[in-house]
Amino acid sequence: MNLGAYARLDALPRERLGFLPTPLVEAPQLARSIGLPQLWIKHDELIGFGFGGNKVRGLELLMANARAQGADVIVTGAGAQSNHVRATAAAAAHAGMEAVAAYWGEAPEQAQGNLRLTRLLGAQTRFTNNADRAQVDAAIAGIANELRAAGRRPYAIPRGGACALGVLGHVLAARELHRQCAANQLRPGTIVLAVGSGATLAGWLLGSALLGAEWRIEGVTVSRPANEVRARVRTLAAEAAALLGVPAVIAESDVVVHEGHIGAGYGVPTEAGDAAIVLAARAQGVFFDPTYTGKALAGLIALAGEGRYAERGPLVFLHTGGEPALFAQGARVSMSAP
Ligand SMILES: *Cc1c(COP(=O)(O)O)cnc(C)c1O
């Protein structure tokens, strides 16, 4: 166990946003429905700040850094239903700062779900009118420059909070779960999570390596091809390791990412994802979301059906949040009785 690295991490300034640790709760009916011997859910959607989710963890370090740099406005971006932008807008308001968001595509006629919350939080929302998601990166930089020229002190956060400091929030999450498991005498064989930008998976892999944890971590990609994810995760983990002064310990081959569950595209619901959402709600009373956790659960259901986890001990599903998307048009989860 590399406690030196964690000691350095603990010494970094953090803005306390989440109520930690998030709950670790067994989900026996869902386990039975899926055919898993034991399933636990690590409830980061219940992190207790700004409608929750994994992004809050990275923001604790990023917002402290913004404060240290004297920032007065946070600039970030993604798609209109971004959980990351919504959580960032809440963190900015909480810190007494402003927020500006760059979104790909065109402004929807009605602000629903996360976009509605982001505007409620007072963030300025700007649309690129370009469907290319990568254009958002240039828009973030452009808005930051514009604000600087106007005498403001902007702090830019990349899409998903996918940067070394953001990754460190998830390195802390790995230790949090490790401690909870020790306290519960639980020895998970596998941790499963949804993967978008890869920051969360990078942090969990790095943290688990530093802890010497015995569990395996498996991602289900909901956005990019698995090959691209593996390379990104490796780079992000290496950058985060460098901040802690430890060698880059994650090889691309250590990054397990399952694909085949994206469907028509990022943020577009799938039938299997919707069915997984309905199953989790009715079997266990837990809400999953159509963009990330529902598709990841659909992936888990498919993999469990192949017998992949039969001999691997308890499984922990990391619930990364995202439920506000259930309140947006386009989330077409059937509400009808079975
Ligand atoms: C962003 C997000 C993820 C994926 O996290 P990354 O660090 O971008 O891979 C998973 N679930 C939810 C609900 C998210 O908002």
PDB file of all heavy atoms in Angstrom, residues 54-55 83-84 160 170 194-201 289 292-293 320-322, ligand 1:
ATOM      1  N   ASN A  54     -20.763  11.404  -9.433  1.00  0.00           N
ATOM      2  CA  ASN A  54     -19.306  11.269  -9.320  1.00  0.00           C
ATOM      3  C   ASN A  54     -18.557  12.579  -9.540  1.00  0.00           C
ATOM      4  O   ASN A  54     -17.471  12.773  -9.018  1.00  0.00           O
ATOM      5  CB  ASN A  54     -18.806  10.195 -10.296  1.00  0.00           C
ATOM      6  CG  ASN A  54     -19.164  10.500 -11.746  1.00  0.00           C
ATOM      7  OD1 ASN A  54     -20.098  11.250 -12.026  1.00  0.00           O
ATOM      8  ND2 ASN A  54     -18.427   9.919 -12.670  1.00  0.00           N
ATOM      9  N   LYS A  55     -19.125  13.506 -10.332  1.00  0.00           N
ATOM     10  CA  LYS A  55     -18.395  14.731 -10.660  1.00  0.00           C
ATOM     11  C   LYS A  55     -18.077  15.572  -9.424  1.00  0.00           C
ATOM     12  O   LYS A  55     -17.126  16.337  -9.414  1.00  0.00           O
ATOM     13  CB  LYS A  55     -19.182  15.561 -11.674  1.00  0.00           C
ATOM     14  CG  LYS A  55     -19.493  14.837 -12.980  1.00  0.00           C
ATOM     15  CD  LYS A  55     -18.270  14.250 -13.618  1.00  0.00           C
ATOM     16  CE  LYS A  55     -18.519  13.620 -14.969  1.00  0.00           C
ATOM     17  NZ  LYS A  55     -19.531  12.543 -15.000  1.00  0.00           N
ATOM     18  N   ASN A  83     -24.298  16.168 -16.460  1.00  0.00           N
ATOM     19  CA  ASN A  83     -24.258  16.149 -14.995  1.00  0.00           C
ATOM     20  C   ASN A  83     -23.068  16.952 -14.492  1.00  0.00           C
ATOM     21  O   ASN A  83     -23.129  17.613 -13.464  1.00  0.00           O
ATOM     22  CB  ASN A  83     -24.129  14.714 -14.486  1.00  0.00           C
ATOM     23  CG  ASN A  83     -25.285  13.845 -14.944  1.00  0.00           C
ATOM     24  OD1 ASN A  83     -26.428  14.147 -14.649  1.00  0.00           O
ATOM     25  ND2 ASN A  83     -24.983  12.779 -15.682  1.00  0.00           N
ATOM     26  N   HIS A  84     -21.981  16.864 -15.254  1.00  0.00           N
ATOM     27  CA  HIS A  84     -20.759  17.574 -14.869  1.00  0.00           C
ATOM     28  C   HIS A  84     -20.985  19.083 -14.821  1.00  0.00           C
ATOM     29  O   HIS A  84     -20.578  19.754 -13.873  1.00  0.00           O
ATOM     30  CB  HIS A  84     -19.629  17.230 -15.854  1.00  0.00           C
ATOM     31  CG  HIS A  84     -18.526  18.224 -15.840  1.00  0.00           C
ATOM     32  ND1 HIS A  84     -17.663  18.352 -14.771  1.00  0.00           N
ATOM     33  CD2 HIS A  84     -18.155  19.167 -16.743  1.00  0.00           C
ATOM     34  CE1 HIS A  84     -16.794  19.329 -15.032  1.00  0.00           C
ATOM     35  NE2 HIS A  84     -17.080  19.841 -16.214  1.00  0.00           N
ATOM     36  N   GLY A 160     -16.191  16.919 -18.382  1.00  0.00           N
ATOM     37  CA  GLY A 160     -16.156  15.784 -17.463  1.00  0.00           C
ATOM     38  C   GLY A 160     -15.215  15.970 -16.279  1.00  0.00           C
ATOM     39  O   GLY A 160     -15.069  15.075 -15.465  1.00  0.00           O
ATOM     40  N   HIS A 170     -11.289  10.747  -7.532  1.00  0.00           N
ATOM     41  CA  HIS A 170     -11.708   9.339  -7.632  1.00  0.00           C
ATOM     42  C   HIS A 170     -10.683   8.401  -6.998  1.00  0.00           C
ATOM     43  O   HIS A 170     -11.017   7.293  -6.602  1.00  0.00           O
ATOM     44  CB  HIS A 170     -11.974   8.992  -9.095  1.00  0.00           C
ATOM     45  CG  HIS A 170     -12.944   9.942  -9.735  1.00  0.00           C
ATOM     46  ND1 HIS A 170     -14.271   9.999  -9.346  1.00  0.00           N
ATOM     47  CD2 HIS A 170     -12.778  10.922 -10.669  1.00  0.00           C
ATOM     48  CE1 HIS A 170     -14.878  10.957 -10.039  1.00  0.00           C
ATOM     49  NE2 HIS A 170     -13.999  11.523 -10.844  1.00  0.00           N
ATOM     50  N   ALA A 194     -19.740   2.933 -15.038  1.00  0.00           N
ATOM     51  CA  ALA A 194     -19.934   3.516 -16.368  1.00  0.00           C
ATOM     52  C   ALA A 194     -18.751   4.416 -16.697  1.00  0.00           C
ATOM     53  O   ALA A 194     -18.211   5.093 -15.822  1.00  0.00           O
ATOM     54  CB  ALA A 194     -21.217   4.342 -16.395  1.00  0.00           C
ATOM     55  N   VAL A 195     -18.351   4.415 -17.962  1.00  0.00           N
ATOM     56  CA  VAL A 195     -17.197   5.214 -18.387  1.00  0.00           C
ATOM     57  C   VAL A 195     -17.594   6.193 -19.482  1.00  0.00           C
ATOM     58  O   VAL A 195     -18.139   5.798 -20.517  1.00  0.00           O
ATOM     59  CB  VAL A 195     -16.066   4.303 -18.908  1.00  0.00           C
ATOM     60  CG1 VAL A 195     -14.883   5.143 -19.370  1.00  0.00           C
ATOM     61  CG2 VAL A 195     -15.623   3.327 -17.832  1.00  0.00           C
ATOM     62  N   GLY A 196     -17.330   7.470 -19.217  1.00  0.00           N
ATOM     63  CA  GLY A 196     -17.517   8.499 -20.236  1.00  0.00           C
ATOM     64  C   GLY A 196     -16.164   9.060 -20.637  1.00  0.00           C
ATOM     65  O   GLY A 196     -15.480   8.529 -21.501  1.00  0.00           O
ATOM     66  N   SER A 197     -15.748  10.124 -19.958  1.00  0.00           N
ATOM     67  CA  SER A 197     -14.442  10.723 -20.263  1.00  0.00           C
ATOM     68  C   SER A 197     -13.292   9.838 -19.801  1.00  0.00           C
ATOM     69  O   SER A 197     -12.166   9.990 -20.258  1.00  0.00           O
ATOM     70  CB  SER A 197     -14.340  12.082 -19.579  1.00  0.00           C
ATOM     71  OG  SER A 197     -14.251  11.909 -18.170  1.00  0.00           O
ATOM     72  N   GLY A 198     -13.544   8.963 -18.848  1.00  0.00           N
ATOM     73  CA  GLY A 198     -12.506   8.061 -18.344  1.00  0.00           C
ATOM     74  C   GLY A 198     -11.837   8.533 -17.066  1.00  0.00           C
ATOM     75  O   GLY A 198     -11.038   7.804 -16.472  1.00  0.00           O
ATOM     76  N   ALA A 199     -12.176   9.736 -16.593  1.00  0.00           N
ATOM     77  CA  ALA A 199     -11.520  10.266 -15.387  1.00  0.00           C
ATOM     78  C   ALA A 199     -11.831   9.401 -14.162  1.00  0.00           C
ATOM     79  O   ALA A 199     -10.955   9.144 -13.335  1.00  0.00           O
ATOM     80  CB  ALA A 199     -11.965  11.704 -15.145  1.00  0.00           C
ATOM     81  N   THR A 200     -13.069   8.974 -14.059  1.00  0.00           N
ATOM     82  CA  THR A 200     -13.469   8.188 -12.895  1.00  0.00           C
ATOM     83  C   THR A 200     -12.738   6.848 -12.880  1.00  0.00           C
ATOM     84  O   THR A 200     -12.146   6.453 -11.869  1.00  0.00           O
ATOM     85  CB  THR A 200     -14.996   7.972 -12.903  1.00  0.00           C
ATOM     86  OG1 THR A 200     -15.619   9.252 -13.009  1.00  0.00           O
ATOM     87  CG2 THR A 200     -15.471   7.285 -11.644  1.00  0.00           C
ATOM     88  N   LEU A 201     -12.747   6.172 -14.015  1.00  0.00           N
ATOM     89  CA  LEU A 201     -12.057   4.878 -14.100  1.00  0.00           C
ATOM     90  C   LEU A 201     -10.560   5.060 -13.836  1.00  0.00           C
ATOM     91  O   LEU A 201      -9.947   4.251 -13.113  1.00  0.00           O
ATOM     92  CB  LEU A 201     -12.296   4.251 -15.482  1.00  0.00           C
ATOM     93  CG  LEU A 201     -11.616   2.914 -15.739  1.00  0.00           C
ATOM     94  CD1 LEU A 201     -12.000   1.868 -14.697  1.00  0.00           C
ATOM     95  CD2 LEU A 201     -11.961   2.397 -17.143  1.00  0.00           C
ATOM     96  N   ASP A 289     -29.868   6.074 -14.544  1.00  0.00           N
ATOM     97  CA  ASP A 289     -30.094   7.108 -15.558  1.00  0.00           C
ATOM     98  C   ASP A 289     -29.870   6.560 -16.967  1.00  0.00           C
ATOM     99  O   ASP A 289     -29.160   5.572 -17.146  1.00  0.00           O
ATOM    100  CB  ASP A 289     -29.154   8.305 -15.321  1.00  0.00           C
ATOM    101  CG  ASP A 289     -27.781   8.050 -15.894  1.00  0.00           C
ATOM    102  OD1 ASP A 289     -27.033   7.244 -15.317  1.00  0.00           O
ATOM    103  OD2 ASP A 289     -27.460   8.618 -16.960  1.00  0.00           O
ATOM    104  N   TYR A 292     -25.721   7.017 -18.538  1.00  0.00           N
ATOM    105  CA  TYR A 292     -24.545   6.335 -17.976  1.00  0.00           C
ATOM    106  C   TYR A 292     -24.896   5.035 -17.243  1.00  0.00           C
ATOM    107  O   TYR A 292     -24.585   3.946 -17.699  1.00  0.00           O
ATOM    108  CB  TYR A 292     -23.815   7.265 -16.996  1.00  0.00           C
ATOM    109  CG  TYR A 292     -23.166   8.464 -17.632  1.00  0.00           C
ATOM    110  CD1 TYR A 292     -23.798   9.703 -17.652  1.00  0.00           C
ATOM    111  CD2 TYR A 292     -21.905   8.372 -18.205  1.00  0.00           C
ATOM    112  CE1 TYR A 292     -23.201  10.810 -18.228  1.00  0.00           C
ATOM    113  CE2 TYR A 292     -21.296   9.473 -18.780  1.00  0.00           C
ATOM    114  CZ  TYR A 292     -21.945  10.689 -18.787  1.00  0.00           C
ATOM    115  OH  TYR A 292     -21.357  11.777 -19.358  1.00  0.00           O
ATOM    116  N   THR A 293     -25.527   5.195 -16.073  1.00  0.00           N
ATOM    117  CA  THR A 293     -25.662   4.030 -15.193  1.00  0.00           C
ATOM    118  C   THR A 293     -26.609   2.972 -15.754  1.00  0.00           C
ATOM    119  O   THR A 293     -26.397   1.780 -15.533  1.00  0.00           O
ATOM    120  CB  THR A 293     -26.135   4.459 -13.796  1.00  0.00           C
ATOM    121  OG1 THR A 293     -27.344   5.238 -13.929  1.00  0.00           O
ATOM    122  CG2 THR A 293     -25.096   5.322 -13.111  1.00  0.00           C
ATOM    123  N   THR A 320     -22.878   6.220 -10.299  1.00  0.00           N
ATOM    124  CA  THR A 320     -22.240   7.518 -10.490  1.00  0.00           C
ATOM    125  C   THR A 320     -23.224   8.673 -10.631  1.00  0.00           C
ATOM    126  O   THR A 320     -22.795   9.815 -10.820  1.00  0.00           O
ATOM    127  CB  THR A 320     -21.320   7.434 -11.720  1.00  0.00           C
ATOM    128  OG1 THR A 320     -22.005   6.678 -12.740  1.00  0.00           O
ATOM    129  CG2 THR A 320     -20.020   6.719 -11.391  1.00  0.00           C
ATOM    130  N   GLY A 321     -24.530   8.392 -10.569  1.00  0.00           N
ATOM    131  CA  GLY A 321     -25.497   9.498 -10.576  1.00  0.00           C
ATOM    132  C   GLY A 321     -26.254   9.629 -11.879  1.00  0.00           C
ATOM    133  O   GLY A 321     -26.493   8.652 -12.573  1.00  0.00           O
ATOM    134  N   GLY A 322     -26.663  10.858 -12.190  1.00  0.00           N
ATOM    135  CA  GLY A 322     -27.271  11.132 -13.486  1.00  0.00           C
ATOM    136  C   GLY A 322     -28.779  11.173 -13.541  1.00  0.00           C
ATOM    137  O   GLY A 322     -29.349  11.409 -14.612  1.00  0.00           O
TER     138      GLY A 322
HETATM  139  C1  LIG B   1     -19.676  11.699 -16.027  1.00  0.00           C
HETATM  140  C2  LIG B   1     -20.448  10.542 -15.574  1.00  0.00           C
HETATM  141  C3  LIG B   1     -19.923   9.235 -15.635  1.00  0.00           C
HETATM  142  C4  LIG B   1     -18.599   8.914 -16.261  1.00  0.00           C
HETATM  143  O1  LIG B   1     -17.508   9.518 -15.601  1.00  0.00           O
HETATM  144  P1  LIG B   1     -16.205   9.823 -16.442  1.00  0.00           P
HETATM  145  O2  LIG B   1     -15.241  10.260 -15.420  1.00  0.00           O
HETATM  146  O3  LIG B   1     -16.554  10.936 -17.407  1.00  0.00           O
HETATM  147  O4  LIG B   1     -15.812   8.601 -17.174  1.00  0.00           O
HETATM  148  C5  LIG B   1     -20.700   8.198 -15.172  1.00  0.00           C
HETATM  149  N1  LIG B   1     -21.921   8.412 -14.675  1.00  0.00           N
HETATM  150  C6  LIG B   1     -22.464   9.639 -14.610  1.00  0.00           C
HETATM  151  C7  LIG B   1     -23.838   9.771 -14.081  1.00  0.00           C
HETATM  152  C8  LIG B   1     -21.746  10.750 -15.052  1.00  0.00           C
HETATM  153  O5  LIG B   1     -22.297  11.962 -14.985  1.00  0.00           O
END
